[in-house]
Amino acid sequence: MTQAVLVIHGGAGAISRAKATPAVTHEYQSALRETLERGSRILEEGGSALDAVAEAVRLLEECALFNAGHGAVFTSEGRHELDASIMDGKTLRSGAVANVTLLRNPVLAARAVMERSPHAFFAGPGADAFGRDAGLECVNPSFFSTDARRSQLLRVQATGEATIVLDHDGQSLAENPGTAASPLDEGRKLGTVGAVALDLHGNLAAATSTGGLTNKRPGRVGDTPLIGAGCYANNATCAVSATGTGEAFMRLVAAYDVSARMAYQGRSLDEAAGCVVFEKLPAIGGAGGLIAVDARGNISLPFNTEGMYRGYRRLGQPACVAIHRDR
Ligand code: ASP
């Protein structure tokens, strides 16, 4: 019997156990749990892994706690540029969008690219136009903005550093020292959301979505919308969704590397994912993690930061969620 399972992440980063009040921790855990419940219901009803990951990522995009969709970080010019991708492990079809500014749910735009165009990747105004023409919901860009993200940008810019800041690095700057704002140190958390799934029919799928990096230069694109870097799925091996310093994941073609190690070296999912996260990424200064599932339902959720918002749910079992590294 297929071990159908849904796995999700909401970004990786550094631990801040002291600052994480039970109430705030509970808020994040509840958001992860609810996403798992609603996404895995699709698998329970015999739906596809593709439907489950698209819905899980859509829900995370709608949640202001995470850096994707509503609640996305700001560019250096105070705007939002969103990236997303999706891949079907059964057919190897994929879709992606980059620098979207008007589409409410970038993951749905990525899916529309995959299913309703002969292409695999749209960027910028063309991506917004494609989504609009496909009938997807468009919003005023202010829909994506939250006060927390705006003060995050202002604080980052006030440091005078002409640098980009990984989502939760920026948030810690945005908070008063000593206040509790999130279970991970928002000063050192990477932000992106993602999902991978194995359905009852034995098919795999992956999806990833992000607002990118706080104070990023307009036009900058990370690993999230790049198939093979931040997202990959192949029924013959595994499905992977990544979060972390995008440039490093791009240089390593990280998500595909997990699959390739399984295919070419005969490694297990956990060995392949661990090699990428604990050996390859640190060797080039890459920080972050990934979630992965193979065709048998084995899962792996490695990260080389101190924590990663993460969780999984196997059918018929309760959802498991975690934020910090197990002690
Ligand atoms: N990987 C994303 C990017 O580089 C950011 C993240 O995961 O935090 O855009």
Side-chain angles (χ1 to χ4, degrees):
M1 159 120 182
T2 303
Q3 277 282 317
V5 62
L6 174 66
V7 190
I8 60 172
H9 72 77
I15 237 164
S16 168
R17 286 183 203 263
K19 281 188 176 181
T21 64
V24 172
T25 300
H26 179 74
E27 194 183 359
Y28 278 80
Q29 289 178 335
S30 300
L32 292 171
R33 204 167 270 124
E34 190 183 332
T35 302
L36 285 167
E37 300 290 349
R38 291 174 63 179
S40 60
R41 208 170 296 148
I42 292 172
L43 299 177
E44 243 150 26
E45 290 166 357
S48 68
L50 200 61
D51 284 342
V53 297
E55 178 61 2
V57 169
R58 188 191 70 79
L59 291 168
L60 292 166
E61 286 176 343
E62 293 287 307
C63 178
L65 296 176
F66 303 107
N67 171 23
H70 175 58
V73 299
F74 285 89
T75 68
S76 60
E77 292 183 351
R79 299 196 175 87
H80 303 283
E81 294 181 351
L82 313 174
D83 305 331
S85 58
I86 192 164
M87 186 159 183
D88 179 2
K90 180 182 176 187
T91 60
L92 299 186
R93 287 189 310 162
S94 66
V97 291
N99 290 345
V100 158
T101 61
L102 300 172
L103 301 174
R104 177 171 177 145
N105 293 111
V107 71
L108 299 185
R111 185 167 186 180
V113 171
M114 177 175 80
E115 294 180 335
R116 295 155 73 179
S117 88
H119 307 297
F121 196 174
F122 282 93
D128 278 322
F130 174 82
R132 188 191 55 227
D133 293 349
L136 297 179
E137 183 176 350
C138 292
V139 290
N140 185 303
S142 64
F143 167 81
F144 302 116
S145 307
T146 60
D147 290 345
R149 297 296 187 204
R150 190 177 299 282
S151 57
Q152 178 178 331
L153 175 70
L154 296 178
R155 292 295 182 110
V156 170
Q157 293 184 331
T159 64
E161 293 173 27
T163 56
I164 53 176
V165 176
L166 293 163
D167 169 26
H168 301 286
D169 292 352
Q171 279 205 24
S172 87
L173 284 166
E175 288 148 13
N176 299 321
T179 58
S182 79
L184 292 184
D185 180 351
E186 295 297 319
R188 290 186 292 150
K189 179 186 168 293
L190 311 163
T192 280
V193 306
V196 296
L198 169 66
D199 66 28
L200 287 167
H201 315 288
N203 294 314
L204 296 171
T208 313
S209 179
T210 192
L213 307 177
T214 296
N215 203 30
K216 67 183 180 181
R217 188 178 168 130
R220 179 266 183 189
V221 178
D223 62 314
T224 300
L226 296 184
I227 294 301
C231 179
Y232 188 71
N234 185 338
N235 275 8
T237 52
C238 60
V240 179
S241 171
T243 172
T245 45
E247 284 69 12
F249 282 75
M250 288 157 78
R251 291 174 188 133
L252 290 177
V253 198
Y256 180 73
D257 197 31
V258 175
S259 169
R261 283 171 194 284
M262 294 177 72
Y264 305 150
Q265 296 183 322
R267 302 268 200 114
S268 71
L269 179 76
D270 215 35
E271 287 169 351
C275 177
V276 170
V277 171
F278 300 121
E279 296 174 33
K280 297 292 169 183
L281 279 166
I284 62 165
L290 59 84
I291 54 171
V293 58
D294 71 15
R296 292 181 172 175
N298 297 306
I299 62 173
S300 185
L301 300 85
F303 49 95
N304 61 29
T305 48
E306 290 174 73
M308 179 167 80
Y309 294 109
R310 62 198 187 279
Y312 65 91
R313 179 164 183 260
R314 294 190 185 281
L315 301 197
Q317 295 179 23
C320 296
V321 301
I323 297 171
H324 301 115
R325 187 180 294 288
D326 297 334
R327 289 203 252 207

